Amino acid sequence: MTGVQTCALPISDQKKTLEQLGKTFATLSTANKIAMLNIYKNLGGERAFHFVQAQTEIKKLNDAATRTIVEWPDGSAMDAVVDIAKNNKNQTLRILAIRGGLRILRENPMGEPSAFAYCRQLMQAADRPEEKRLVLAGLANIKSMQSLRYVARL
């Protein structure tokens, strides 16, 4: 654990933590900013996610920020993960997004209708049989008639 991670842990107010991290982030080299994106991921939540998502607009940070988003620990990044899976030009990042989205769904229950909608979008984004099988496995965990009908039509 880095010094910045250690400093961030005892602070119970995430807003204050993110403000302090933002001040530190602005002073870092590109390499250290890339490393620090994982701290934001470890904090999770919408505020940290939005900060990381903003870093995708910076050319030198785009790849690392995108990879951080697809590894996000909670559902706050799910829409962005699906967008990456569907629209990113880099096939590796699209594959990582599909896998990351399925992991988010598995680890963060969000209700059958939402999970089904996300799985459908991930299936549409899947080009390779490997990812299609993974999405099918994700759909198998959704206990609904809607999911069953969808799988039956594939």
Side-chain angles (χ1 to χ4, degrees), residues 4-121:
V4 176
Q5 284 175 312
T6 304
C7 291
L9 289 177
I11 301 171
S12 60
D13 182 1
Q14 190 184 48
K15 185 177 179 180
K16 285 182 186 176
T17 302
L18 292 172
E19 286 173 6
Q20 290 178 340
L21 288 174
K23 290 174 187 174
T24 302
F25 191 87
T27 66
L28 298 174
S29 67
T30 300
N32 287 332
K33 285 179 179 179
I34 289 170
M36 195 169 177
L37 291 173
N38 280 321
I39 296 169
Y40 283 90
K41 178 184 73 175
N42 292 338
L43 288 172
E46 268 190 59
R47 289 177 193 247
F49 163 70
H50 288 300
F51 179 86
V52 172
Q53 189 175 38
Q55 305 316 304
T56 63
E57 301 299 321
I58 300 168
K59 187 175 182 177
K60 291 180 180 181
L61 298 177
N62 178 276
D63 186 70
T66 302
R67 288 174 184 269
T68 302
I69 289 169
V70 301
E71 295 173 357
W72 206 256
D74 59 58
S76 59
M78 196 60 199
D79 289 330
V81 170
V82 169
D83 184 59
I84 293 164
K86 292 166 93 174
N87 301 315
N88 199 288
K89 294 176 184 174
N90 182 322
Q91 182 184 22
T92 301
L93 291 176
R94 286 194 316 271
I95 292 167
L96 291 173
I98 291 168
R99 292 171 183 239
L102 291 168
R103 180 195 45 75
I104 290 170
L105 290 172
R106 188 174 54 251
E107 295 175 1
N108 300 279
M110 58 181 64
E112 291 172 6
S114 294
F116 174 71
Y118 284 127
C119 277
R120 262 188 42 204
Q121 292 177 68

